[in-house]
Amino acid sequence: MGVMRIGHINIRVLDMDAALHHYENVLGLLRADQDGDGNVYLRGWDEWDKYSVILSPSDRAGMNHIAYKVESDDDLDVLRRRIEAYGIEVEECPAGALPDCGRSLRFHLPSGHLMYLYAEKTYVGKAVSTTNPDPWPDGLKGAGVHWLDHALLMCELDPESGVNKVEESTAFMQDVLDFKLTEQVLVGPDGDIKAATWLARTSTPHDIAFVGGPVKGLHHCAFFLDEWSDVLKAADVMAKNKVKIDVTPQRHGITRGATIYFFDPSGNRNETFAGLGYLAQPDMPVITWTEDELGRGIFYHTGELNEAFTTVYTEGA
Amino acid sequence: MSDEAPCPVFDVRIADTGEVYQCPARETLLKAMARLGRKGIPSGCHGGGCGVCKVRVTGEVTTMAMSRSHVSETEERQGYVLACRCYPRGHLSVEVVGKLHKAVTRPRYGFV
């Protein structure tokens, strides 16, 4: 019942040819479709729905929307009522409003980010089929990422003015969409200000994350890799292609993921995220990171927050 | 011997610090600075999306697409560019406009 997982992200790009080289040849996503407006649809080889990334040509980098897939069509009716009861306006969009998807719910998170929920998307199957499959397909390009794993959204945080959109969006995800809070960063003189949160509906450490910053934005979207050796290879692929790497292979303290942060050719941050971290069962206690150990939470090895972490990101709507 | 035509190299002067570095015509102002290990222009996404490397340039340049979130058409006409999208076509002077930390003087709450 309810939300299953991240379904797709719609990213705006300044140069489609450069973007396609990046998402197809560097990340290894497979092209699924292209529409008359120039939007291109892609997916990872291990995904079975038609697409998980929409690239849209634009003169502003950033994210248009993020979408999550719910288990059944009836869930949309239940969730619509819950979202409206929470005081958030919901628009019900007909099938096809999201290409290749059934009807969808369109609303804004308290942080202002545009989110959709849908129950159906055209099924195309994994690249390795479902009968006696090989562990990976031939012909994968670049890093060969498996799937869109999660996104981190920057939310306005200004405690002195009483603004904390991290807390508001987190509460919404927990109370209305039944996400589980797995980890949080608590800051401030009394250690009670939620400055960042990680939430899940799957049993992975996160399907979405929120971090406080000066303005709303897209911090990154992440693609899954199996293990550390895949991360090293992905970094080699990025170096070969002169991709701007923000943080070279390293481990996050939070979520335990093995990571690379890097930028697409329009400056949207991507991540390759390896490992399942831990089993985020509903009764797993929430993990808390304190302000003094925040650097280690984000970048476990160096223990230092990279200056770009909360200042370099693209628009969130 | 290389078959490639020689690439002109131009001086880029960072007005704020007086530092000068060399930038080949085929490399962006930001990439050349970073490759030389030099500082002065804040380094972010290198894709024209985040805006931290915004500079006002005096001199001749060519530019690639820059996110309009950070450089409006009016600003572009006035010489504002993102250094990561900007190639020199002559010796240049740049004034740094973008900032990494907008809030260094107030208390920080973890990330802000």
Side-chain angles (χ1 to χ4, degrees):
Chain A
M1 275 293 288
V3 174
M4 290 193 294
R5 62 171 182 277
I6 190 168
H8 66 255
I9 189 165
N10 181 194
I11 298 168
R12 296 193 299 267
V13 299
L14 305 175
D15 177 339
M16 185 58 79
D17 289 340
L20 286 173
H21 172 71
H22 176 84
Y23 285 95
E24 289 186 297
N25 298 333
V26 177
L27 284 170
L29 294 177
L30 312 175
R31 199 187 301 202
D33 210 347
Q34 179 159 4
D35 66 26
D37 297 325
N39 301 299
V40 179
Y41 303 77
L42 306 116
R43 69 174 175 277
W45 67 266
D46 216 358
E47 296 179 297
W48 50 94
D49 283 347
K50 184 170 176 182
Y51 64 86
S52 59
V53 173
I54 309 172
L55 301 177
S56 294
S58 175
D59 63 0
R60 304 164 82 92
M63 177 184 93
N64 279 335
H65 72 259
I66 188 166
Y68 283 76
K69 191 176 188 187
V70 304
E71 195 167 352
S72 74
D73 190 71
D74 294 344
D75 289 337
L76 294 174
D77 296 321
V78 174
L79 290 171
R80 177 180 181 163
R81 284 194 293 274
R82 289 174 70 171
I83 297 165
E84 282 173 342
Y86 199 76
I88 290 177
E89 202 177 316
V90 184
E91 182 188 346
E92 185 175 321
C93 305
L98 290 177
D100 287 292
C101 294
R103 67 183 177 121
S104 54
L105 303 180
R106 181 187 192 273
F107 56 94
H108 290 89
L109 293 178
S111 52
H113 298 89
L114 179 60
M115 181 176 279
Y116 283 85
L117 300 177
Y118 66 92
E120 290 163 17
K121 187 183 276 180
T122 301
Y123 171 85
V124 292
K126 295 188 183 197
V128 292
S129 91
T130 50
T131 306
N132 309 321
D134 292 313
W136 43 269
D138 289 330
L140 279 182
K141 292 180 183 171
V145 296
H146 290 236
W147 57 71
L148 174 67
D149 190 85
H150 66 268
L152 193 167
L153 306 181
M154 294 298 289
C155 303
E156 191 183 352
L157 175 63
D158 185 358
E160 285 166 21
S161 306
V163 176
N164 189 345
K165 297 295 181 186
V166 172
E167 185 167 34
E168 288 182 35
S169 279
T170 301
F172 172 80
M173 296 302 281
Q174 289 182 277
D175 298 348
V176 180
L177 301 185
D178 291 331
F179 275 61
K180 172 188 166 48
L181 180 66
T182 56
E183 306 204 31
Q184 60 183 350
V185 172
L186 296 179
V187 304
D190 302 318
D192 59 354
I193 297 169
K194 263 193 187 117
T197 56
W198 286 258
L199 299 116
R201 277 291 298 173
T202 63
S203 57
T204 68
H206 60 331
D207 299 311
I208 196 166
F210 302 113
V211 168
V215 293
K216 169 183 72 171
L218 169 66
H219 189 272
H220 70 260
C221 58
F223 299 91
F224 186 79
L225 290 172
D226 256 344
E227 52 178 324
W228 185 242
S229 59
D230 299 319
V231 173
L232 181 62
K233 185 188 168 195
D236 291 344
V237 171
M238 290 171 207
K240 279 187 179 186
N241 285 277
K242 298 190 166 51
V243 170
K244 172 60 183 171
I245 294 184
D246 181 24
V247 178
T248 52
Q250 147 126 226
R251 184 198 280 277
H252 289 309
I254 297 165
T255 73
R256 296 186 201 152
T259 178
I260 309 169
Y261 279 149
F262 52 102
F263 296 100
D264 81 3
S266 303
N268 298 303
R269 191 187 275 93
N270 294 161
E271 177 180 32
T272 53
F273 183 92
L276 286 171
Y278 46 74
L279 191 62
Q281 289 284 283
D283 61 338
M284 191 193 85
V286 177
I287 296 164
T288 297
W289 295 81
T290 55
E291 192 160 2
D292 55 326
E293 285 295 317
L294 177 54
R296 206 161 294 285
I298 304 294
F299 301 122
Y300 184 66
H301 297 153
T302 56
E304 292 172 8
L305 264 188
N306 148 348
E307 198 174 24
F309 183 75
T310 51
T311 45
V312 174
Y313 55 94
T314 51
E315 277 191 335
Chain B
M1 256 184 74
S2 165
D3 291 337
E4 284 180 35
C7 178
V9 175
F10 300 109
D11 291 340
V12 179
R13 181 174 178 277
I14 299 177
D16 312 69
T17 60
E19 275 206 78
V20 177
Y21 68 94
Q22 304 232 295
C23 182
R26 62 167 171 257
E27 203 161 32
T28 69
L29 304 187
L30 188 64
K31 184 72 192 169
M33 185 197 77
R35 182 173 52 74
L36 294 166
R38 305 289 285 274
K39 305 276 183 198
I41 305 172
S43 178
C45 73
H46 288 230
C50 78
V52 301
C53 67
K54 189 171 179 178
V55 295
R56 188 170 192 178
V57 66
T58 309
E60 202 180 332
V61 296
T62 55
T63 54
M64 292 160 62
M66 300 175 280
S67 187
R68 287 285 174 227
S69 326
H70 301 295
V71 182
S72 67
E73 289 175 39
T74 307
E75 284 180 315
E76 196 174 341
R77 284 195 293 273
Q78 294 166 345
Y80 290 95
V81 298
L82 300 182
C84 70
R85 301 281 85 185
C86 180
Y87 299 86
R89 292 294 172 257
H91 300 303
L92 305 175
S93 178
V94 301
E95 180 190 339
V96 175
V97 180
K99 289 188 183 65
L100 267 179
H101 276 299
K102 298 179 181 94
V104 284
T105 54
R106 66 174 186 155
R108 291 170 55 80
Y109 291 87
F111 302 107
V112 295

Coordinates of all heavy atoms in Angstrom, one line a residue, chain A residues 59-61 157-160 195-196 212-213 244 263 265-267 291 294 307 310-312 314-315, chain B residues 43-50 52 65-69 85 100-101 106-112:
Chain A
D59 N 16.6 26.9 -20.8 CA 17.7 27.8 -20.5 C 18.1 28.0 -19.1 O 18.8 28.9 -18.7 CB 17.5 29.2 -21.2 CG 16.2 29.9 -20.7 OD1 15.6 29.4 -19.7 OD2 15.9 31.0 -21.1
R60 N 17.4 27.2 -18.2 CA 17.7 27.2 -16.8 C 18.0 25.8 -16.3 O 17.1 24.9 -16.5 CB 16.6 27.8 -16.0 CG 16.1 29.2 -16.4 CD 14.8 29.5 -15.8 NE 14.9 30.0 -14.5 CZ 15.0 31.3 -14.1 NH1 15.0 32.2 -15.0 NH2 15.1 31.6 -12.9
A61 N 19.1 25.5 -15.7 CA 19.4 24.2 -15.2 C 18.5 23.9 -13.9 O 18.0 24.9 -13.3 CB 20.9 24.1 -14.8
L157 N 16.4 26.9 4.8 CA 16.6 26.8 6.2 C 17.1 28.1 6.7 O 18.2 28.5 6.3 CB 17.5 25.6 6.5 CG 17.9 25.5 8.0 CD1 16.7 25.1 8.9 CD2 19.0 24.4 8.1
D158 N 16.4 28.8 7.6 CA 16.8 30.0 8.1 C 16.3 30.1 9.6 O 15.2 30.8 9.8 CB 16.4 31.2 7.3 CG 16.9 32.6 7.8 OD1 17.6 32.6 8.8 OD2 16.6 33.6 7.1
P159 N 16.9 29.4 10.5 CA 16.3 29.3 11.8 C 16.0 30.6 12.5 O 15.1 30.7 13.3 CB 17.4 28.5 12.6 CG 18.1 27.7 11.6 CD 18.1 28.7 10.4
E160 N 16.8 31.6 12.2 CA 16.6 32.9 12.9 C 15.4 33.6 12.5 O 14.8 34.4 13.2 CB 17.9 33.8 12.7 CG 19.0 33.3 13.5 CD 20.3 33.9 13.1 OE1 20.3 35.0 12.5 OE2 21.4 33.3 13.5
A195 N 18.3 19.9 10.4 CA 18.9 20.5 9.3 C 19.0 19.6 8.1 O 19.3 20.1 7.0 CB 20.3 21.0 9.7
A196 N 18.8 18.4 8.3 CA 18.8 17.4 7.1 C 18.2 16.1 7.6 O 18.3 15.7 8.7 CB 20.3 17.1 6.7
G212 N 19.0 21.4 4.5 CA 18.8 22.9 4.6 C 19.8 23.7 3.9 O 21.0 23.4 4.0
G213 N 19.4 24.7 3.1 CA 20.2 25.6 2.4 C 19.6 27.0 2.3 O 18.5 27.2 2.8
K244 N 33.1 16.9 -14.6 CA 33.5 17.6 -13.4 C 33.1 16.8 -12.2 O 31.9 16.7 -11.9 CB 32.9 19.0 -13.4 CG 33.1 19.8 -12.1 CD 34.5 20.1 -11.8 CE 34.7 20.8 -10.4 NZ 36.1 20.8 -10.0
F263 N 29.0 16.4 -11.7 CA 28.0 17.3 -12.3 C 27.7 16.9 -13.8 O 28.7 16.5 -14.5 CB 28.5 18.7 -12.3 CG 28.6 19.3 -10.9 CD1 29.9 19.4 -10.3 CD2 27.5 19.7 -10.2 CE1 30.0 19.9 -9.0 CE2 27.7 20.2 -8.9 CZ 28.9 20.3 -8.3
P265 N 26.6 18.1 -17.7 CA 27.1 19.2 -18.4 C 26.4 20.5 -18.2 O 26.8 21.6 -18.7 CB 27.1 18.8 -19.9 CG 27.0 17.3 -19.8 CD 26.2 17.0 -18.6
S266 N 25.2 20.5 -17.6 CA 24.4 21.7 -17.3 C 24.6 22.1 -15.8 O 24.0 23.1 -15.4 CB 23.0 21.5 -17.5 OG 22.8 21.1 -18.9
G267 N 25.4 21.4 -15.1 CA 25.7 21.7 -13.7 C 24.8 21.1 -12.7 O 24.8 21.4 -11.5
E291 N 25.8 18.2 15.2 CA 26.4 19.3 14.4 C 28.0 19.1 14.4 O 28.6 19.4 13.4 CB 26.1 20.7 15.0 CG 26.4 21.8 14.1 CD 25.6 23.1 14.4 OE1 24.8 23.1 15.4 OE2 25.8 24.1 13.7
L294 N 29.0 16.5 11.9 CA 28.3 16.6 10.6 C 29.1 16.3 9.4 O 28.8 15.6 8.5 CB 27.7 18.0 10.5 CG 27.0 18.5 9.3 CD1 25.8 17.5 8.9 CD2 26.4 19.9 9.5
E307 N 33.1 22.7 0.8 CA 32.5 24.1 0.8 C 31.3 24.1 -0.2 O 30.4 24.9 -0.1 CB 33.6 25.1 0.3 CG 33.3 26.5 0.6 CD 34.5 27.4 0.3 OE1 35.3 27.0 -0.5 OE2 34.5 28.5 0.9
T310 N 26.8 22.7 0.3 CA 25.5 23.4 0.4 C 25.4 24.7 -0.3 O 24.4 25.4 -0.1 CB 25.2 23.6 1.9 OG1 26.3 24.3 2.5 CG2 24.9 22.4 2.7
T311 N 26.4 25.0 -1.1 CA 26.2 26.3 -1.9 C 26.2 26.1 -3.4 O 25.7 26.9 -4.1 CB 27.4 27.2 -1.6 OG1 28.6 26.4 -1.6 CG2 27.3 27.8 -0.2
V312 N 26.6 24.9 -3.8 CA 26.6 24.6 -5.3 C 25.5 23.7 -5.6 O 25.6 22.5 -5.3 CB 28.0 24.1 -5.7 CG1 28.0 23.7 -7.2 CG2 29.1 25.1 -5.5
T314 N 21.6 23.4 -8.3 CA 20.8 24.0 -9.3 C 19.4 24.2 -8.8 O 19.0 23.7 -7.7 CB 20.8 23.2 -10.6 OG1 20.4 21.8 -10.3 CG2 22.1 23.2 -11.3
E315 N 18.5 24.9 -9.6 CA 17.2 25.2 -9.2 C 16.3 24.0 -8.9 O 16.4 23.0 -9.5 CB 16.5 26.1 -10.3 CG 16.9 27.5 -10.3 CD 15.9 28.3 -11.2 OE1 15.4 27.7 -12.1 OE2 15.8 29.5 -11.0
Chain B
S43 N 34.8 27.9 -7.5 CA 34.7 26.8 -8.4 C 33.5 26.0 -8.0 O 33.5 25.5 -6.9 CB 36.0 26.0 -8.4 OG 35.8 24.9 -9.2
G44 N 32.5 25.8 -8.9 CA 31.3 25.0 -8.5 C 31.1 23.9 -9.5 O 31.9 22.9 -9.6
C45 N 30.0 23.9 -10.3 CA 29.5 22.8 -11.1 C 30.2 22.7 -12.4 O 30.2 21.6 -13.0 CB 28.0 22.9 -11.3 SG 27.5 24.2 -12.5
H46 N 30.9 23.8 -12.8 CA 31.6 23.8 -14.1 C 30.6 23.5 -15.3 O 31.1 23.0 -16.4 CB 32.8 22.8 -14.1 CG 33.9 23.2 -13.3 ND1 35.2 23.3 -13.8 CD2 34.0 23.7 -12.1 CE1 36.0 23.7 -12.8 NE2 35.3 24.0 -11.8
G47 N 29.3 23.7 -15.1 CA 28.4 23.4 -16.2 C 27.4 24.5 -16.5 O 26.5 24.4 -17.2
G48 N 27.7 25.7 -15.9 CA 26.8 26.8 -16.1 C 25.5 26.7 -15.4 O 24.5 27.5 -15.7
G49 N 25.4 25.9 -14.3 CA 24.1 25.7 -13.6 C 24.0 26.3 -12.3 O 23.0 26.6 -11.8
C50 N 25.2 26.4 -11.5 CA 25.1 26.8 -10.1 C 25.3 28.3 -9.9 O 24.9 28.8 -8.8 CB 26.0 25.9 -9.3 SG 27.7 26.4 -9.3
V52 N 28.1 30.0 -9.0 CA 29.1 30.6 -8.1 C 30.3 31.2 -8.8 O 31.0 32.0 -8.2 CB 29.6 29.5 -7.0 CG1 28.4 28.9 -6.3 CG2 30.4 28.4 -7.7
A65 N 26.1 28.1 -23.3 CA 24.9 28.3 -22.6 C 25.1 28.4 -21.1 O 25.8 27.6 -20.5 CB 23.9 27.2 -22.9
M66 N 24.5 29.5 -20.5 CA 24.6 29.7 -19.1 C 23.2 29.7 -18.5 O 22.3 30.3 -19.2 CB 25.3 31.0 -18.7 CG 26.7 31.1 -19.3 SD 27.4 32.7 -19.0 CE 26.7 33.7 -20.4
S67 N 22.9 29.1 -17.3 CA 21.6 29.1 -16.8 C 21.1 30.5 -16.6 O 21.8 31.3 -15.9 CB 21.6 28.3 -15.5 OG 20.2 28.1 -15.0
R68 N 19.9 30.8 -17.1 CA 19.3 32.1 -16.9 C 19.0 32.4 -15.5 O 18.7 33.5 -15.1 CB 18.1 32.3 -17.9 CG 18.5 32.4 -19.3 CD 19.1 33.8 -19.7 NE 19.5 33.9 -21.0 CZ 20.7 34.4 -21.4 NH1 21.5 34.9 -20.5 NH2 21.0 34.5 -22.7
S69 N 19.0 31.4 -14.7 CA 18.8 31.6 -13.2 C 19.9 32.5 -12.7 O 19.7 33.1 -11.6 CB 18.8 30.3 -12.5 OG 18.3 29.2 -13.2
R85 N 31.8 28.8 -18.4 CA 31.2 28.7 -19.7 C 31.8 29.7 -20.7 O 31.3 30.0 -21.7 CB 29.7 29.1 -19.7 CG 28.9 28.2 -18.8 CD 28.5 26.9 -19.4 NE 29.6 25.9 -19.2 CZ 29.6 24.7 -19.8 NH1 28.7 24.4 -20.6 NH2 30.6 23.9 -19.5
L100 N 30.8 31.7 -2.8 CA 30.5 30.3 -2.3 C 29.7 30.5 -1.0 O 28.7 29.9 -0.9 CB 31.8 29.5 -2.1 CG 32.3 28.6 -3.2 CD1 33.5 27.9 -2.8 CD2 31.2 27.6 -3.6
H101 N 30.2 31.3 -0.1 CA 29.5 31.4 1.1 C 28.8 32.8 1.2 O 29.5 33.8 1.3 CB 30.5 31.2 2.3 CG 30.6 29.8 2.6 ND1 29.6 29.0 3.0 CD2 31.7 29.0 2.6 CE1 30.0 27.8 3.2 NE2 31.3 27.7 2.9
R106 N 27.1 35.4 9.8 CA 26.1 35.1 10.8 C 26.2 33.7 11.3 O 27.0 32.9 10.8 CB 24.7 35.3 10.2 CG 24.4 34.3 9.1 CD 23.0 34.5 8.7 NE 22.7 33.4 7.7 CZ 21.5 32.9 7.4 NH1 20.5 33.4 8.1 NH2 21.3 31.9 6.6
P107 N 25.6 33.4 12.4 CA 25.7 32.0 13.0 C 25.3 31.0 12.0 O 24.4 31.2 11.2 CB 24.8 32.0 14.2 CG 24.5 33.5 14.5 CD 24.7 34.2 13.2
R108 N 26.0 29.9 12.0 CA 25.7 28.8 11.1 C 25.0 27.7 11.8 O 25.2 27.4 12.9 CB 27.0 28.3 10.5 CG 27.7 29.3 9.6 CD 29.1 28.9 9.2 NE 29.1 27.5 8.6 CZ 28.8 27.2 7.3 NH1 28.4 28.2 6.5 NH2 28.8 26.0 6.9
Y109 N 24.0 27.2 11.1 CA 23.2 26.1 11.6 C 23.5 24.8 10.8 O 22.7 24.5 9.9 CB 21.7 26.4 11.6 CG 21.4 27.5 12.6 CD1 21.5 28.8 12.2 CD2 21.0 27.2 13.9 CE1 21.2 29.8 13.1 CE2 20.7 28.2 14.8 CZ 20.8 29.5 14.4 OH 20.5 30.5 15.3
G110 N 24.6 24.2 11.1 CA 24.9 23.0 10.3 C 25.3 23.4 8.9 O 26.5 23.4 8.6
F111 N 24.4 23.6 8.1 CA 24.7 23.9 6.7 C 24.5 25.3 6.3 O 25.0 25.7 5.2 CB 23.7 23.0 5.8 CG 23.8 21.6 6.1 CD1 22.8 20.9 6.7 CD2 24.9 20.8 5.6 CE1 22.8 19.6 6.9 CE2 24.9 19.5 5.9 CZ 23.9 18.8 6.5
V112 N 23.8 26.1 7.0 CA 23.6 27.5 6.6 C 24.0 28.4 7.8 O 24.1 28.0 8.9 CB 22.1 27.8 6.3 CG1 21.7 27.0 5.0 CG2 21.2 27.5 7.4

